[in-house]
Amino acid sequence: MTQYKQIILAKGREQSFFRKHPWIFSGAIKQKDANLHDGEIVEVLSSEKVFLGIGHYQDGSIAIRVLSYEYTDINTDFWFTKISKAYNYRKAIGLIDQPDMNAYRLVFGEADEMPGLVIDYYNNNLVIQCHAIGMHLSIKDIVEALKKIYGSKLETIYDKSVESLPATYASQIKNGFLFGSNENTIIQEYGNKFQIDWVRGQKTGFFIDQRENRKLLAHYSKGKKVLNTFCYTGGFSVYASLAGASLVHSVDSSKAAIELTKKNIELNGITNHEAFAVDTFDFFKTSDTDYDVIILDPPAFAKSRKVTHNAVIGYKRLNAEAFKRIKSGGIVFTFSCSQVIDKELFFNTIVSAAIEAKKTIKVLHYLSQPADHPINMHFLEGEYLKGLVLWVE
Ligand code: SAH
């Protein structure tokens, strides 16, 4: 067995291990071996020197991300066991080998007991995004494990970690192919087709996390005038159109996103759609269409607690604009993917937006993230996507 360097916790700080929470904060450390480097695998001991687990070390507030509660070598076999567990979970919830669905999140970091690792699956292609340096240093073993799991069907593994790792480390690496060379593919989601471009697209190429919410939108779209703001690849737009909306408008400030939306609209043979490369707030100022359904799925307005206040102002303004413009008896799908804005704060913000717009709102559905982005109850920080479907009058 490999002997890893050791970290000893301060007295009483082993509690998080017993709760199976995967992070150890720097303040919990009493003593550590000399010359630890970022991403190094370490053994964690209690103040009484009892073995607690193995994890990735990284200088910073989250100092250790726990990988195992048993003493074990962190090698290809380790990753094969871990990722197979995540794969089998997706299989059990009906996401694998489906004829009309071939995109899912295979690994969702801490929730899958692999802190800092995200892997998305797009029709035999895998995109890896590391959020911890240790994961990136383990990437060769992870790739070997993935090849073993998917076998000859696997076409490509692409590493897209430059955007998600600390700048000092990220400046020394490049995004690129670890296996195969596909730059994009066409996936199906409940039979809706999307072209996914992981090389040029945002994040890993697609927001898989909205799958079930897009499906719900289809239920409310027949014969309706639908506005999809912050549309990115046009996910919600395609579902609304194919479900029989009378008209669909898509808005995104990024020209590249609008091009992707147009491609996906074409791919699905849709004709009653128009796309606008413009800021959502500007679009609201000029548009005079009486929409029946509006989708608000902005990027995270707050990435840290320091800017929570500004984010609340942003969400309030955006939702108030939508409430003012929607028909009486219209429906708003509104989301926040900011981790630091909790449900209660988000809901309160939406209420104040309704008051400002002089509308009343009723909840048709509370929305969240899908089961391939699991909410692990030992790590509630992983619950990030919040949504409401509102009846507005
Ligand atoms: N709803 C999408 C994901 C949205 S991601 C889906 O289901 O796939 C957020 C998008 O908002 C990005 O494409 C980004 O370009 C866009 N964006 C950011 N700020 C914007 C603004 N002020 N107005 C319009 N679009 C904006």
Side-chain angles (χ1 to χ4, degrees):
M1 280 262 194
T2 313
Q3 177 60 55
Y4 297 114
K5 284 188 198 158
Q6 294 185 330
I7 290 188
I8 300 170
L9 301 187
K11 202 168 167 32
R13 299 306 288 267
E14 54 284 278
Q15 282 308 318
S16 64
F17 267 89
F18 303 137
R19 283 187 285 114
K20 292 267 158 75
H21 189 284
W23 291 347
I24 307 292
F25 292 97
S26 55
I29 293 176
K30 184 172 83 181
Q31 196 186 316
K32 55 186 182 198
D33 280 356
N35 304 325
L36 278 177
H37 65 79
D38 276 345
E40 189 161 351
I41 295 163
V42 290
E43 180 188 348
V44 187
L45 306 176
S46 72
S47 57
E48 259 93 58
K49 307 241 171 94
V50 177
F51 172 82
L52 293 171
I54 289 186
H56 279 139
Y57 171 79
Q58 188 172 318
D59 192 26
S61 147
I62 303 167
I64 304 161
R65 292 167 170 88
V66 180
L67 297 168
S68 171
Y69 297 96
E70 281 155 33
Y71 203 101
T72 176
D73 277 331
I74 308 297
N75 53 19
T76 302
D77 288 345
F78 172 82
W79 293 111
F80 178 77
T81 306
K82 279 260 177 190
I83 301 173
S84 295
K85 192 174 152 199
Y87 178 91
N88 289 332
Y89 164 83
R90 270 77 184 165
K91 195 166 188 172
I93 60 172
L95 284 174
I96 291 180
D97 297 332
Q98 296 295 329
D100 66 344
M101 182 115 75
N102 53 12
Y104 54 83
R105 179 151 289 187
L106 170 68
V107 175
F108 182 47
E110 282 76 355
D112 282 302
E113 294 129 40
M114 287 174 262
L117 180 66
V118 164
I119 306 178
D120 284 343
Y121 171 90
Y122 300 116
N123 185 23
N124 298 325
N125 301 280
L126 294 165
V127 185
I128 303 180
Q129 193 161 58
C130 299
H131 294 256
I133 294 170
M135 279 299 175
H136 203 256
L137 295 177
S138 294
I139 208 160
K140 276 207 183 106
D141 286 339
I142 292 170
V143 165
E144 288 315 306
L146 289 168
K147 285 189 200 162
K148 246 170 105 178
I149 292 168
Y150 284 92
S152 59
K153 286 185 293 185
L154 188 63
E155 293 178 21
T156 293
I157 304 177
Y158 188 73
D159 173 22
K160 186 100 188 260
S161 301
V162 169
E163 294 86 349
S164 55
L165 286 169
T168 45
Y169 180 87
S171 64
Q172 300 159 38
I173 61 166
K174 282 202 171 80
N175 290 335
F177 293 96
L178 303 170
F179 176 71
S181 59
N182 292 348
E183 295 188 355
N184 54 57
T185 190
I186 291 173
I187 62 119
Q188 286 198 56
E189 200 188 73
Y190 290 119
N192 301 280
K193 295 192 193 79
F194 295 99
Q195 180 173 324
I196 315 295
D197 183 336
W198 42 86
V199 176
R200 280 161 288 272
Q202 297 176 31
K203 303 274 173 78
T204 68
F206 194 53
F207 287 85
I208 305 173
D209 57 358
Q210 289 286 21
R211 179 181 57 238
E212 304 306 321
N213 304 331
R214 290 192 268 262
K215 187 175 174 219
L216 183 65
L217 173 72
H219 173 74
Y220 288 107
S221 296
K222 194 159 194 272
K224 299 289 161 61
K225 291 182 197 163
V226 178
L227 171 63
N228 179 19
T229 63
F230 308 91
C231 66
Y232 183 38
T233 50
F236 284 102
S237 312
V238 167
Y239 274 70
S241 289
L242 292 183
S246 61
L247 161 163
V248 178
H249 287 167
S250 301
V251 173
D252 199 291
S253 55
S254 147
K255 279 207 180 84
I258 290 297
E259 288 314 308
L260 290 173
T261 293
K262 284 184 178 161
K263 232 182 234 167
N264 288 327
I265 290 292
E266 206 182 296
L267 197 59
N268 289 279
I270 293 164
T271 51
N272 61 344
H273 174 270
E274 220 178 319
F276 304 88
V278 55
D279 183 286
T280 298
F281 292 96
D282 293 336
F283 183 84
F284 276 133
K285 278 185 206 141
T286 52
S287 150
D288 54 8
T289 308
D290 53 339
Y291 296 106
D292 303 291
V293 180
I294 299 180
I295 299 107
L296 306 172
D297 182 26
F301 281 166
K303 291 222 164 69
S304 74
R305 293 215 180 272
K306 279 182 237 145
V307 294
T308 304
H309 181 68
N310 288 347
V312 166
I313 294 172
Y315 286 118
K316 184 179 168 191
R317 219 178 111 214
L318 176 67
N319 283 273
E321 290 304 320
F323 295 155
K324 279 178 202 163
R325 266 150 197 83
I326 198 155
K327 257 186 195 165
S328 182
I331 291 174
V332 171
F333 279 63
T334 183
F335 297 95
S336 163
C337 58
S338 304
Q339 211 142 10
V340 295
I341 306 269
D342 64 20
K343 259 188 254 173
E344 203 181 343
L345 179 56
F346 181 56
F347 295 174
N348 285 333
T349 306
I350 299 302
V351 172
S352 41
I355 292 169
E356 186 186 310
K358 300 191 172 56
K359 294 288 172 83
T360 56
I361 48 177
K362 296 190 178 87
V363 179
L364 299 177
H365 303 271
Y366 290 104
L367 304 181
S368 181
Q369 59 215 55
D372 53 339
H373 296 59
I375 298 165
N376 185 327
M377 294 204 72
H378 303 269
F379 180 73
L380 287 175
E381 294 90 332
E383 181 178 13
Y384 68 100
L385 184 61
K386 302 151 287 286
L388 291 167
V389 184
L390 299 168
W391 176 263
V392 186
E393 53 192 11

